[in-house]
Amino acid sequence: QSQLSQALNGLSDRAKEAKEFLVQLRNMVQQIQENSVEFEACLVAQCDALIDALNRRKAQLLARVNKEHEHKLKVVRDQISHCTVKLRQTTGLMEYCLEVIKENDPSGFLQISDALIRRVHLTEDQWGKGTLTPRMTTDFDLNLDNAPLLQSIHQLDFVQMKVSSPVPAPPILQLEECCTHNNSATLSWKQPPLSTVQVEGYILELDDGNGGQFREVYVGKETMCTVDGLHFNSTYSARVKAFNKTGVSPYSKTLVLQTSEGDNSSSSEHVPNTQSEEQTLPFPVPLERSQLRRMSPFSSTLNLQPSFSGRSYFELRSSAHQLSLHSSLQSLNSAGCNFETQGSPYSQLGKFDIKKMVAVAWFSFDPSSAHADIIFSNDNLTVTCNSYDDRVVLGKTGFSKGLHYWELSIDRYDNHPDPAFGVARIDVLKDAMLGKDDKAWAITEGGITKGATVGVLLDLTRRTLTFSINEDQQGPVAFENLEGLFFPAVSLNRNVQVTLHTGLPVPEFYTSRSAMP
């Protein structure tokens, strides 16, 4: 009985596990059904998007066919009109000559015969070679090459999802490596010692110094970053998180940094509290950290404002080599988000090798706020329009402080009408030329040509707007006393196509003027 009872207990445990397993399987059935409905809806949406794109392309191709059709008809009709006039003149001359031949007065005939003979030969020569040859063929010399697209459609298939690795653990801020100096802050972090999860990069965020919203100031593989250009006598909060292909880690503990009251503050040592959830590292800092800051100087034009987009361009230079890193963070809203990182290969830099770091806004045109007639391409960096009327498109990033410069290259332009370039409020009129209302500040330059480059310099420290064409400043400051939030803006029609270039240094004509007393 004892043995049977023990065996029954083991079997009872297995039966209990089996019941729980059946519940799990039934839940899986329901989850599979729900996932199937969701996946089917996603598949239909993706296929519908392809069909919409194909229909738009079909409309564009039909427009080209109609254009060729109208051109052929115009050429043939013009030739019909020309030949009809000439035939009428020839027929009239023939009838007149027949009447003259019937003339019975020899002297009268001789008086006009020579002139008529010359006229007949001249008219005959006008019907020379090529006159009676059609100037246009009836065939349409257009051949649609759809083989690559058909092949792509046949190859359209599902990509097998790989089993993803876990998201990284929260990074640890290395307090002994973090410091502030004047209006700069250096932060250092590392992964937890026992963490084995692969990390692809880190995201450093700072607030605006007034307890406002956090903004990304660095995205990359380095574990140390210095941010310059902060406000003096201000308190900034910083945090960092790690990411890989699976997703984003939780944030590290928040570190509070205090910038100095002026450029020549004294130094003294302070050890932050590592136990609190919010760690504070006020200025002054230890002397040895100030020496590190001088050995590893960074400069930055970063504007930590709520309008800053968080997508940055970083250029790093060292004494031994030059390199560049372009980092763009596309979405960080969920644990299953995807990252896109664009950049050239680079070698690992030591903490003391970096010579200079420059961060400036890197943005594109904004389809969500643009007029419906605007056509986007080249990752929303190139725009044109399908309307003969002026339409407005804005940049994705708005600016409220700092110095910002971008350029627009003229890819296509037929000299009518002139495009306009400048800045605008978010609620500017989208169906009129830029500058027609009181929510835009723009230049309409008739001197530009295809291939020209228009530079726009927005200095919100001086509250001015300046323009240049092919690196030549266009007169003095165009607009002054600018305050508020401004977005890069362009107005154009279907005869104009422009491409946006951002992440550029401030032009020499402005920096030299700024250096003048």
Side-chain angles (χ1 to χ4, degrees):
Q1 288 178 351
S2 176
Q3 291 176 353
L4 180 60
S5 177
Q6 289 179 359
L8 262 174
N9 288 335
L11 185 60
S12 175
D13 292 339
R14 296 295 176 268
K16 182 179 179 181
E17 292 175 359
K19 290 180 180 179
E20 293 175 352
F21 181 64
L22 283 174
V23 172
Q24 181 182 356
L25 290 178
R26 292 189 181 97
N27 291 336
M28 287 181 62
V29 170
Q30 182 179 357
Q31 188 64 42
I32 289 172
Q33 292 174 340
E34 294 175 355
N35 290 345
S36 175
V37 172
E38 182 180 354
F39 188 79
E40 287 179 5
C42 181
L43 178 62
V44 169
Q46 289 178 310
C47 291
D48 288 345
L50 292 175
I51 294 171
D52 291 340
L54 185 60
N55 285 331
R56 289 193 298 270
R57 188 58 180 164
K58 181 178 73 172
Q60 294 172 355
L61 294 174
L62 286 175
R64 288 180 57 185
V65 173
N66 291 333
K67 185 177 179 180
E68 182 71 10
H69 167 243
E70 295 298 331
H71 174 66
K72 286 180 177 290
L73 288 181
K74 183 178 184 303
V75 172
V76 173
R77 285 167 178 166
D78 289 346
Q79 192 172 15
I80 290 174
S81 176
H82 179 70
C83 288
T84 301
V85 172
K86 287 188 64 176
L87 182 59
R88 187 180 299 115
Q89 294 173 347
T90 301
T91 303
L93 178 61
M94 291 172 59
E95 292 175 352
Y96 180 71
C97 290
L98 290 174
E99 293 296 325
V100 171
I101 290 174
K102 297 177 183 179
E103 179 61 47
N104 295 324
D105 183 9
S107 60
F109 178 82
L110 291 174
Q111 289 178 359
I112 62 173
S113 60
D114 289 342
L116 280 177
I117 292 172
R118 289 194 297 271
R119 180 70 178 276
V120 168
H121 286 314
L122 179 62
T123 303
E124 184 181 3
D125 291 339
Q126 291 178 353
W127 291 97
K129 185 178 180 180
T131 307
L132 299 179
T133 302
R135 298 175 185 172
M136 182 61 64
T137 64
T138 57
D139 297 330
F140 283 75
D141 299 327
L142 300 172
N143 184 24
L144 182 62
D145 183 14
N146 62 347
L149 180 58
L150 287 175
Q151 183 179 2
S152 298
I153 292 175
H154 291 314
Q155 294 176 348
L156 188 63
D157 204 348
F158 300 106
V159 178
Q160 185 66 35
M161 299 296 293
K162 296 181 179 180
V163 178
S164 58
S165 60
V167 298
I172 298 175
L173 286 165
Q174 301 189 89
L175 301 184
E176 70 278 3
E177 299 287 339
C178 299
C179 69
T180 58
H181 182 71
N182 290 334
N183 64 334
S184 300
T186 298
L187 295 106
S188 178
W189 58 90
K190 64 179 181 180
Q191 278 297 103
L194 301 179
S195 176
T196 59
V197 179
Q198 183 181 3
V199 175
E200 294 188 2
Y202 300 92
I203 304 156
L204 175 63
E205 297 183 358
L206 262 69
D207 67 359
D208 60 359
N210 294 315
Q213 184 179 1
F214 279 90
R215 294 292 167 180
E216 298 155 10
V217 297
Y218 173 71
V219 180
K221 295 186 176 182
E222 300 300 325
T223 58
M224 185 176 186
C225 178
T226 295
V227 181
D228 287 346
L230 304 178
H231 297 294
F232 284 101
N233 195 25
S234 299
T235 301
Y236 288 90
S237 296
R239 62 188 185 184
V240 64
K241 56 186 176 181
F243 66 86
N244 58 17
K245 292 181 179 179
T246 303
V248 186
S249 76
Y251 286 105
S252 66
K253 294 182 179 180
T254 301
L255 182 67
V256 178
L257 305 107
Q258 175 73 38
T259 57
S260 70
E261 299 180 358
D263 294 335
N264 298 309
S265 299
S266 60
S267 297
S268 63
E269 186 171 355
H270 174 83
V271 179
N273 182 6
T274 59
Q275 301 300 320
S276 63
E277 190 67 26
E278 185 177 81
Q279 304 162 0
T280 303
L281 181 65
F283 191 87
V285 299
L287 180 60
E288 59 270 20
R289 301 309 302 153
S290 299
Q291 294 171 346
L292 169 63
R293 179 58 181 80
R294 288 197 295 270
M295 293 175 65
S296 184
F298 290 76
S299 65
S300 172
T301 58
L302 182 62
N303 175 24
L304 299 178
Q305 296 301 320
S307 59
F308 188 73
S309 67
R311 184 176 183 178
S312 304
Y313 166 78
F314 296 90
E315 180 182 50
L316 292 83
R317 292 189 178 90
S318 71
S319 56
H321 54 274
Q322 290 189 354
L323 53 99
S324 65
L325 166 66
H326 295 255
S327 299
S328 66
L329 184 59
Q330 298 299 328
S331 71
L332 288 172
N333 298 324
S334 65
C337 65
N338 295 320
F339 278 85
E340 286 186 19
T341 303
Q342 302 170 340
S344 57
Y346 62 95
S347 58
Q348 293 293 331
L349 297 178
K351 295 180 182 177
F352 304 103
D353 293 333
I354 300 174
K355 187 67 178 174
K356 187 178 182 183
M357 181 176 186
V358 180
V360 293
W362 186 271
F363 59 91
S364 60
F365 287 115
D366 184 15
S368 63
S369 64
H371 193 279
D373 292 337
I374 296 293
I375 300 173
F376 295 83
S377 60
N378 188 25
D379 292 332
N380 298 334
L381 293 174
T382 300
V383 291
T384 184
C385 181
N386 59 15
S387 172
Y388 285 105
D389 298 322
D390 289 294
R391 300 294 186 241
V392 171
V393 57
L394 303 179
K396 273 192 174 181
T397 301
F399 302 108
S400 60
K401 289 185 180 180
L403 180 63
H404 309 278
Y405 177 71
W406 61 93
E407 291 180 348
L408 300 115
S409 58
I410 312 301
D411 305 327
R412 177 167 50 83
Y413 181 44
D414 69 352
N415 300 318
H416 181 77
D418 296 328
F421 310 92
V423 297
R425 307 289 191 194
I426 189 65
D427 56 346
V428 65
L429 289 176
K430 305 299 195 307
D431 56 357
M433 178 178 285
L434 201 64
K436 290 294 185 181
D437 59 2
D438 60 350
K439 292 180 172 55
W441 295 259
I443 180 175
T444 305
E445 186 57 53
I448 63 172
T449 58
K450 177 182 177 181
T453 299
V454 177
V456 183
L457 182 64
L458 178 62
D459 188 345
L460 290 171
T461 302
R462 299 185 177 189
R463 302 188 301 168
T464 61
L465 184 64
T466 309
F467 297 94
S468 65
I469 296 180
N470 297 330
E471 299 184 354
D472 290 331
Q473 183 176 352
Q474 299 300 293
V477 172
F479 298 99
E480 296 179 318
N481 301 321
L482 299 178
E483 287 189 18
L485 181 62
F486 299 92
F487 291 81
V490 176
S491 68
L492 42 70
N493 70 355
R494 66 181 302 164
N495 298 319
V496 183
Q497 177 177 299
V498 301
T499 296
L500 175 66
H501 306 276
T502 60
L504 304 176
V506 176
E508 292 185 0
F509 73 79
Y510 196 80
T511 55
S512 59
R513 188 187 71 182
S514 300
M516 296 176 62

